[in-house]
Amino acid sequence: MAKMWAGRTAGITDKIADDFNSSISFDSRMYRQDITGSMAHAAMLANQGIITREDADTLIAGLETILQDLDSGALAIDLDCEDIHMFVEQVLTERLGDVGKKLHTARSRNDQVALDIRMYLRDQVDEISDLLKDLTSVVTAKAEEYKATIMPGYTHLQRAQPITFGHHLMAYAMMFLRDLDRLADCRKRMNQSPIGCCALAGTTYETDRYFEAKELGFDSICLNSLDGVSDRDFCVELMSAISVAMMHLSRFSEEIILWSSWEFKFVELSDAYTTGSSIMPQKKNPDMAELVRGKTGRVYGDLMALLTTLKGLPLAYNKDMQEDKESIFDACDTIKMCLKVFVGMVDTLKAIPENMMKAAQQGFINATDLADYLVKKGLPFRAAYKISGSIVAYCIQNNKVLESMTLEEYQEFSDIFQQDVYEDISLEACVSKRISVGGTSVESVEMQIKYVNEVLGR
Ligand code: ARG
């Protein structure tokens, strides 16, 4: 059959070229946006006297039934059509006859597709944000549960200073708040309507772009028609925001993987989020966390693919831009899946406080506090640091920890040491003394929890 755009050419294309050119297999997911956009367009054409009110009513009713039939499954997508825009128009014309052919007045597929993607992605941003909020809530609830659970804090993956598990978890809550902010920010620029830019240059008809924008829930319109049809910044911005969020999920995954290993055994994942091995009966593998870490690479790939596609494109629309959809859809689908699995995985995760404490008791993570004790008694910090370091070296040689040194041993290093040193180096004291804003003390973590819950409004 000849293409709808048959005109200059007979519109008969090679089968392989057809398959290559077609985007319906992946853009059909935008049918709702395409149809809703067309309804607003028909209404605008009637308002402006470009078509009759009667024709507009017929078009809108026809579009409404197509939407219902697609929703119910009564109408199947015809994969032989070039794209979803052609499909909807074709069905409309089959059903309504000549009136159907009036819909495409004063628009082009170029502004139509730009409209559809923006509308589709707006909803995606909202869905992703809701899932991120769920995860932030779950992480914050876990932090509340473990706000006094002591564990080693690390730098260079070497035990550094004692912290609480709640404090560690709240670090991720802060990252997720930034992710939510980035999503909200990119949604602002996404929410400008390109419809009415037409093919590239605007139109001779007296259209009302503001009416269509308002009908479809946009904040404003794209003010340059060339830009309106060729801008895909909002896809790139959304994919970068998603990439950063995936990077956070991947770091969290990495920690969960480490923590659930026998080497750490700080946490136990629920069986529901682990798998066994087909050969090693003892295994309980953190596959979900590993897959999230793995899928992060895939999302970065989506971002790089679109950036690369766009980089050499002259204005305005080029067919290359059809490549935007698979990348951005994949990034959205992937992060949604990852977030859903993460919510359950974190919600059911149990800490093993004894093991965290055991690890915290080794590695001299209270050596800074030992130095601070001497500073409190009047020594300059550098001198205190040196004494504290020599004591650690002594402990290592003599198979001791700071808590098991006798007062006599301490006094060998400095006569400043008194019985009260033991209070200052107890891990509980090390944590509870870190009352600076953002620090690891229980009060400080409670303040962080309160802040996050307020931002979430939950
Ligand atoms: N399927 C196309 C896309 O996704 C729609 C726009 C086609 N425009 C055109 N002039 N061929 O980009």
Side-chain angles (χ1 to χ4, degrees):
M1 198 173 77
K3 292 283 184 302
M4 249 181 189
W5 42 255
R8 174 181 169 170
T9 74
I12 311 277
T13 43
D14 174 76
K15 170 83 179 95
I16 292 175
D18 256 0
D19 291 345
F20 186 61
N21 196 40
S22 161
S23 55
I24 195 155
S25 62
F26 50 86
D27 66 19
S28 60
R29 64 160 82 192
M30 304 191 302
Y31 75 82
R32 177 175 310 282
Q33 290 72 22
D34 195 73
I35 293 172
T36 321
S38 289
M39 287 170 152
H41 189 65
M44 184 280 288
L45 291 175
N47 291 347
Q48 299 301 104
I50 301 169
I51 62 172
T52 64
R53 179 65 59 191
E54 204 190 334
D55 281 349
D57 290 346
T58 311
L59 287 169
I60 292 170
L63 287 163
E64 180 67 54
T65 24
I66 295 179
L67 182 57
Q68 282 167 5
D69 291 351
L70 283 170
D71 279 344
S72 70
L75 175 64
I77 302 275
D78 175 4
L79 291 174
D80 285 336
C81 266
E82 189 176 318
D83 54 31
I84 188 61
H85 327 294
M86 288 302 209
F87 171 74
V88 172
E89 200 183 327
Q90 183 182 301
V91 176
L92 192 69
T93 309
E94 277 163 16
R95 291 185 177 185
L96 303 182
D98 279 349
V99 183
K101 296 181 185 166
K102 296 191 180 179
L103 176 64
H104 210 52
T105 316
R107 76 169 183 189
S108 144
R109 266 189 299 160
N110 297 350
D111 55 344
Q112 193 180 350
V113 72
L115 175 76
D116 293 3
I117 316 171
R118 283 177 189 256
M119 286 169 65
Y120 181 85
L121 292 182
R122 245 177 8 189
D123 292 347
Q124 294 300 306
V125 170
D126 296 344
E127 273 183 44
I128 296 167
S129 301
D130 283 346
L131 287 169
L132 250 173
K133 283 184 193 160
D134 292 346
L135 179 58
T136 314
S137 291
V138 164
V139 168
T140 307
K142 276 283 139 175
E144 172 70 38
E145 189 180 340
Y146 294 116
K147 65 186 175 192
T149 304
I150 293 175
M151 70 181 282
Y154 295 82
T155 64
H156 313 266
L157 202 56
Q158 302 286 322
R159 290 171 190 159
Q161 289 179 346
I163 57 169
T164 65
F165 189 41
H167 190 214
H168 197 120
L169 289 170
M170 284 314 287
Y172 284 102
M174 298 301 170
M175 294 178 224
F176 298 146
L177 287 192
R178 290 198 296 278
D179 291 329
L180 283 165
D181 214 34
R182 264 183 285 272
L183 287 169
D185 183 57
C186 96
R187 196 188 189 286
K188 277 190 271 176
R189 279 175 298 280
M190 182 182 287
N191 207 27
Q192 298 175 350
S193 168
I195 195 72
C197 291
C198 301
L200 74 161
T203 180
T204 53
Y205 294 97
E206 263 190 52
T207 52
D208 183 354
R209 293 190 57 201
Y210 292 100
F211 169 81
E212 277 185 85
K214 196 157 171 261
E215 276 289 291
L216 299 171
F218 286 95
D219 297 326
S220 58
I221 63 169
C222 306
L223 271 179
N224 178 296
S225 60
L226 293 168
D227 181 46
V229 290
S230 59
D231 172 27
R232 293 293 182 274
D233 292 4
F234 56 95
C235 297
V236 172
E237 287 189 41
L238 176 54
M239 272 195 280
S240 6
I242 293 177
S243 294
V244 176
M246 286 297 298
M247 178 264 284
H248 295 151
L249 292 182
S250 186
R251 293 181 79 169
F252 203 168
S253 295
E254 171 66 14
E255 298 209 295
I256 290 173
I257 294 161
L258 283 174
W259 291 338
S260 52
S261 71
W262 281 109
E263 282 66 20
F264 281 79
K265 265 288 162 249
F266 285 0
V267 301
E268 181 79 33
L269 287 171
S270 151
D271 290 357
Y273 294 91
T274 56
T275 61
S277 152
S278 55
I279 168 170
M280 298 166 282
Q282 84 284 12
K283 292 280 264 180
K284 179 171 172 182
N285 296 327
D287 289 35
M288 307 307 136
E290 291 169 85
L291 262 179
V292 170
R293 189 178 59 185
K295 284 181 190 291
T296 303
R298 167 190 180 128
V299 170
Y300 292 179
D302 291 328
L303 169 64
M304 286 318 296
L306 185 60
L307 277 172
T308 312
T309 298
L310 293 173
K311 82 176 263 293
L313 294 186
L315 298 184
Y317 179 83
N318 300 270
K319 190 70 175 214
D320 315 44
M321 288 161 63
Q322 179 165 289
E323 289 290 308
D324 58 356
K325 285 170 224 54
E326 283 163 294
S327 308
I328 187 71
F329 294 163
D330 184 67
C332 291
D333 293 348
T334 305
I335 192 164
K336 284 194 293 180
M337 241 165 19
C338 291
L339 285 168
K340 280 180 201 160
V341 83
F342 231 92
V343 167
M345 182 172 68
V346 174
D347 194 28
T348 53
L349 172 150
K350 286 198 170 60
I352 310 174
E354 317 84 79
N355 291 349
M356 289 182 168
M357 184 53 116
K358 220 182 290 160
Q361 283 160 343
Q362 294 151 4
F364 307 100
I365 64 178
N366 42 3
T368 314
D369 298 85
L370 186 66
D372 285 343
Y373 169 85
L374 294 170
V375 171
K376 194 171 79 182
K377 302 267 170 173
L379 273 191
F381 182 76
R382 274 296 152 227
Y385 172 95
K386 213 160 172 207
I387 294 173
S388 182
S390 319
I391 295 175
V392 169
Y394 171 85
C395 283
I396 292 169
Q397 268 163 21
N398 294 280
N399 208 13
K400 286 181 172 264
V401 291
L402 298 180
E403 293 87 331
S404 63
M405 293 262 295
T406 64
L407 187 56
E408 291 69 41
E409 281 175 304
Y410 270 121
Q411 284 168 346
E412 295 282 319
F413 290 89
S414 163
D415 49 21
I416 294 176
F417 283 114
Q418 297 300 324
Q419 190 60 36
D420 59 355
V421 66
Y422 296 104
E423 267 158 55
D424 278 34
I425 61 167
S426 84
L427 295 183
E428 286 76 9
C430 295
V431 165
S432 66
K433 277 183 309 184
R434 287 192 162 71
I435 48 163
S436 55
V437 177
T440 201
S441 71
V442 174
E443 297 76 32
S444 165
V445 173
E446 278 169 346
M447 178 185 152
Q448 297 168 43
I449 292 173
K450 188 162 167 269
Y451 171 78
V452 172
N453 282 331
E454 268 166 27
V455 175
L456 291 177
R458 293 189 171 178

